[in-house]
Amino acid sequence: RNYPGGSPCGACRQVLVQFGRGATMLGIADSYGNVRRAMVDDLLPAASSPTIAPAAQTAAERKYVKLALDQRSKSYVPYSKKSRGAVFLASNSKGKQRAFKGAVIENAAYGASVACENAAMSAARLAGYTSEPTLIVTVNNITDANPIDGECLQILREFSRTAKIILVGEDYSLVR
């Protein structure tokens, strides 16, 4: 029998990244011993689109960029001191779109902390807004490695494989 292998889930990808972005990952592809090779860097890729200044953004983008940046002040970050904000846009079964906001909530127990993205996405799911997802999230440096951790990416993927992500810089610029 042929047992196809799988790709690591988002939480597993996050753990692999913590071992080192330059590492090579080997994944069993089938029962014949075939292996898929990937670089850990590719599991959580950085943004690769051009940076868009506020003047070149749509009115809606500027609105949600500001909303995401405003959410940072609601963060509770006594340990890392790194506030972040998120807005999650989604539609319900009737096609009505709504924005859900999130902020970081830290806890001394690492696993009990809540990412701003997870807070916003959880609120949307609980309200029945699960279609046409777009995640808008603040970052410190828009050109750095992807700031969205594997767990959050896994949750986003469960909304849709074609979910959109917009990273927002301190200067109100964005990367789609």
Side-chain angles (χ1 to χ4, degrees):
R1 284 175 44 186
N2 188 2
Y3 298 97
S7 180
C9 74
C12 294
R13 290 171 186 234
Q14 184 66 32
V15 170
L16 288 167
V17 166
Q18 290 172 358
F19 278 103
R21 287 194 158 274
T24 300
M25 182 198 76
L26 302 175
I28 304 300
D30 58 35
S31 62
Y32 302 110
N34 293 315
V35 174
R36 288 190 186 131
R37 185 175 289 134
M39 298 301 295
V40 170
D41 284 348
D42 297 331
L43 297 175
L44 294 174
S48 59
S49 299
T51 301
I52 301 165
Q57 298 169 15
T58 67
E61 285 174 330
R62 284 192 300 276
K63 171 186 168 183
Y64 293 120
V65 162
K66 182 178 181 338
L67 191 57
L69 287 166
D70 289 348
Q71 282 302 111
R72 293 178 306 172
S73 66
K74 295 174 175 65
S75 292
Y76 174 72
V77 289
Y79 307 103
S80 73
K81 308 288 189 232
K82 295 179 182 176
S83 61
R84 292 182 55 224
V87 175
F88 186 70
L89 301 175
S91 299
N92 65 12
S93 60
K94 296 178 182 175
K96 180 181 177 190
Q97 187 181 59
R98 185 171 154 199
F100 296 85
K101 302 177 276 188
V104 177
I105 310 227
E106 288 182 345
N107 188 291
Y110 176 72
S113 295
V114 178
C116 58
E117 304 94 296
N118 284 356
M121 289 187 288
S122 295
R125 180 154 313 275
L126 291 171
Y129 286 74
T130 59
S131 300
E132 304 173 66
T134 299
L135 176 63
I136 302 147
V137 64
T138 63
V139 297
N140 291 330
N141 186 345
I142 211 160
T143 59
D144 280 350
N146 192 337
I148 303 170
D149 70 24
E151 179 184 352
C152 293
L153 289 174
Q154 182 69 30
I155 292 169
L156 182 61
R157 185 171 189 203
E158 290 173 9
F159 276 93
S160 169
R161 294 177 70 92
T162 59
K164 298 174 185 152
I165 299 174
I166 297 175
L167 303 178
V168 176
E170 298 282 332
D171 62 353
Y172 289 73
S173 63
L174 66 81
V175 172
R176 292 185 192 109

